[in-house]
């Protein structure tokens, strides 16, 4: 166990040295490549304006999202009406999707409780 800890420490040291050596140049390269997205001058007023633009742009996209939701809902209703014609593959995909949603819900509950499991006595 102690040898694994020493290996882990040496790997962490190597990684931190690599970041210290190459991190600054990577940052400069990244900012140079994406400089068209940086607002100049970076003032509080400009940040507030951008935040409002983002909020109202998202708000304006709600009707399109709602329309898409209802189209998907109508498709599901159509599938439910014709469930006798449903293929095994489609049913399997629907079951896996439901299982995935349930697992994400459970994981979210566990994270929301601070990674504690309730109901279990240790």
């Amino acid at each position: 166990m102690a040898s694994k800890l020493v290996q882990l420490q040496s790997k962490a040291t190597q990684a931190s040295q690599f970041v210290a050596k190459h991190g600054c140049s990577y940052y400069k390269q990244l900012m140079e490549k994406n400089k068209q997205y940086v607002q100049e001058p970076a003032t509080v007023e400009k940040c507030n304006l951008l935040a409002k633009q983002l909020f109202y742009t998202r708000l304006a996209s709600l009707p399109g999202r709602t329309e898409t939701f209802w189209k998907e809902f109508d498709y599901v209703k159509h599938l439910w009406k014709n469930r006798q014609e449903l293929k095994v593959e489609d049913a399997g995909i629907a079951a896996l999707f439901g299982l995935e949603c349930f697992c994400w819900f459970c994981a979210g509950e566990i994270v929301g409780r601070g990674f504690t499991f309730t109901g279990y006595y240790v």
Side-chain angles (χ1 to χ4, degrees):
M1 184 69 172
S3 65
K4 292 200 183 253
L5 183 60
V6 171
Q7 287 177 344
L8 183 63
Q9 286 176 337
S10 69
K11 292 284 186 185
T13 304
Q14 288 174 356
S16 64
Q17 288 172 351
F18 180 82
V19 169
K21 186 176 182 182
H22 300 289
C24 189
S25 62
Y26 175 74
Y27 173 78
K28 288 178 183 177
Q29 179 186 8
L30 182 70
M31 291 306 292
E32 183 63 33
K33 187 171 116 179
N34 295 301
K35 66 181 176 185
Q36 72 268 19
Y37 303 115
V38 177
Q39 283 296 146
E40 292 294 336
T43 60
V44 174
E45 293 82 15
K46 193 64 169 175
C47 290
N48 288 335
L49 174 68
L50 289 171
K52 284 183 181 180
Q53 286 176 339
L54 176 64
F55 175 75
Y56 287 109
T57 300
R58 295 280 173 101
L59 199 59
S61 72
L62 282 178
R65 292 180 188 194
T66 306
E67 180 182 335
T68 303
F69 169 77
W70 286 114
K71 283 181 184 177
E72 291 286 331
F73 187 71
D74 289 338
Y75 176 72
V76 170
K77 284 194 321 189
H78 174 72
L79 281 178
W80 186 253
K81 284 180 187 176
N82 301 323
R83 63 183 175 268
Q84 291 81 16
E85 300 170 6
L86 195 65
K87 295 184 233 166
V88 175
E89 293 88 12
D90 295 335
I93 290 171
L96 283 174
F97 177 74
L99 181 65
E100 181 182 6
C101 289
F102 179 73
C103 289
W104 277 111
F105 170 76
C106 290
E109 286 289 316
I110 292 168
V111 170
R113 287 192 303 260
F115 295 97
T116 59
F117 293 95
T118 59
Y120 295 103
Y121 298 103
V122 180

